[in-house]
Amino acid sequence: MPRSFLVKKHFNASKKPNYSELDTHTESGVIYADLCTHMRKPCDQPTHKMEESFSVSLKRVVIISPYLYEGYPVPVIPQPEILSSGAYSPITVWTTAAPFHAPLPTGLSPLSGYPASLGRVSPPPPSDTSSKDHSGSESPISDEEERLQSKLSDPHAIEAEKFQCNLCSKTYSTFSGLGKHKQLHCDAQSRKSFSCKYCDKEYVSLGALKMHIRTHTLPCVCKICGKAFSRPWLLQGHIRTHTGEKPFSCSHCSRAFADRSNLRAHLQTHSDVKKYQCKNCSKTFSRMSLLHKHEESGCCAAH
DNA sequence: CTGGGGATGGGGCCC
DNA sequence: CGGGCCCCATCCCCA
């Protein structure tokens, strides 16, 4: 399975946004306002769609932005400090998507009210800030100690232990005991993830999340046209479209390409055996997209 | 309609 | 941990 498919595909990639809808915005201020509004609120639309929205906005900014006329860098994406502190909050990362599996008592929301910075573990709920620092993955207290503490602090704890962890089956006499156990152990270990604030994607490492966030912030800006990219090498490839540099040459013909992937696709045209074959008619194609077109055109309609 | 080039996005891997 | 690179995928456009 292609690696990039592990996270993508929450949307219909075949559809592009209707650019004409944006034509009503003719002033850069309007565009910036739209962009800022979009960035301020948690994104509830597919990532790709949003990126395209940025791209469209950017293209329009490039044309009309006074920053370009003055020779200044284009402020493609508003930075947090530009936005009002009340409206913008930094990317929230938490290591457990939902620290409790069991329903929480009213008002006990371990995450609400705790905007965490990147890579930080969300602090425990107020009721859990007693004596020990529990921020690490390793707890200084054992499960048995937890249970004992729970019993000692709860006058009814002597009764039958009726709160059971649905992950490890340990039982606790109090809800708080179970909750503490789950937050410190089971949930933290089984559900550790880093979530993007701008979209619904989750990653198992902070590095992966940071890289993904670049696709939202687009920090690499072309000095020539102002177009923004998520990574430096993407910008490099783009700059080649300005310079005409084509460092990747075909060994079979005289063609050269600015992008290695495009050279690879081109090399397929020299190959007698095409890489992508239709399962129905065995016809082969040099590209996956061509095979898909072929399938959509009706060859595989009988299946 | 098909094939191919150009441009770009994005996750994973390696250093 | 971050940057660079690899690889794959996709879309647009044109012949």
Side-chain angles (χ1 to χ4, degrees):
Chain A
M1 171 182 287
R3 290 170 299 189
S4 57
F5 276 2
L6 295 175
V7 179
K8 289 175 65 175
K9 291 292 188 296
H10 296 287
F11 55 92
N12 183 353
S14 64
K15 299 300 178 187
K16 282 284 185 179
N18 185 2
Y19 293 174
S20 62
E21 291 177 356
L22 295 169
D23 287 343
T24 55
H25 300 306
T26 56
E27 296 181 5
S28 60
V30 173
I31 296 169
Y32 279 120
D34 287 350
L35 208 53
C36 291
T37 301
H38 187 96
M39 291 297 291
R40 272 196 287 264
K41 63 183 181 181
C43 180
D44 58 357
Q45 60 177 310
T47 309
H48 199 179
K49 199 173 182 179
M50 183 175 72
E51 289 161 359
E52 287 169 338
S53 298
F54 288 163
S55 179
V56 170
S57 298
L58 172 63
K59 287 174 183 174
R60 300 184 64 79
V61 169
V62 167
I63 296 172
I64 55 186
S65 169
Y67 289 86
L68 272 188
Y69 298 148
E70 299 296 330
Y72 295 139
V74 180
V76 180
I77 302 298
Q79 297 303 306
E81 58 270 25
I82 298 175
L83 304 172
S84 67
S85 58
Y88 181 90
S89 59
I91 298 156
T92 300
V93 180
W94 50 88
T95 54
T96 57
F100 294 89
H101 286 302
L104 291 173
T106 304
L108 180 57
S109 176
L111 289 181
S112 62
Y114 289 91
S117 59
L118 276 175
R120 298 286 295 275
V121 176
S122 298
S127 63
D128 214 14
T129 57
S130 55
S131 59
K132 294 184 174 62
D133 179 11
H134 296 164
S135 60
S137 60
E138 290 294 330
S139 169
I141 59 177
S142 67
D143 277 5
E144 286 303 317
E145 287 170 335
E146 284 177 39
R147 299 169 69 180
L148 182 59
Q149 287 181 2
S150 180
K151 283 182 181 180
L152 291 175
S153 61
D154 190 332
H156 303 294
I158 201 68
E159 298 174 1
E161 296 178 328
K162 53 189 175 182
F163 296 98
Q164 184 174 38
C165 175
N166 56 359
L167 294 176
C168 67
S169 299
K170 280 194 172 70
T171 56
Y172 292 83
S173 58
T174 64
F175 183 85
S176 61
L178 172 61
K180 188 182 295 183
H181 156 76
K182 296 192 73 171
Q183 186 181 29
L184 293 179
H185 299 287
C186 284
D187 274 8
Q189 292 174 9
S190 64
R191 304 192 58 172
K192 189 170 185 177
S193 65
F194 299 88
S195 300
C196 175
K197 172 173 181 161
Y198 300 121
C199 65
D200 295 332
K201 289 182 179 176
E202 294 182 4
Y203 297 86
V204 295
S205 70
L206 180 60
L209 173 62
K210 283 184 176 180
M211 190 181 65
H212 163 75
I213 286 173
R214 295 174 71 97
T215 68
H216 294 301
T217 58
L218 301 177
C220 307
V221 181
C222 176
K223 292 180 180 178
I224 301 175
C225 70
K227 187 167 171 55
F229 298 86
S230 59
R231 291 182 243 180
W233 62 267
L234 276 172
L235 173 59
Q236 278 189 328
H238 165 76
I239 290 176
R240 292 196 191 108
T241 68
H242 293 302
T243 64
E245 181 190 6
K246 294 181 177 180
F248 304 99
S249 300
C250 176
S251 58
H252 298 81
C253 65
S254 59
R255 290 198 69 105
F257 299 85
D259 182 83
R260 179 179 276 108
S261 293
N262 289 339
L263 170 60
R264 188 179 299 110
H266 165 77
L267 287 174
Q268 273 288 302
T269 67
H270 291 301
S271 175
D272 293 333
V273 180
K274 302 293 189 279
K275 190 176 179 179
Y276 304 98
Q277 184 176 39
C278 176
K279 293 177 180 177
N280 281 1
C281 67
S282 297
K283 187 176 181 179
T284 57
F285 299 88
S286 59
R287 297 181 181 194
M288 175 83 77
S289 58
L290 295 175
L291 172 59
H292 286 163
K293 279 184 183 179
H294 167 75
E295 291 174 341
E296 290 174 358
S297 66
C299 173
C300 301
H303 75 289

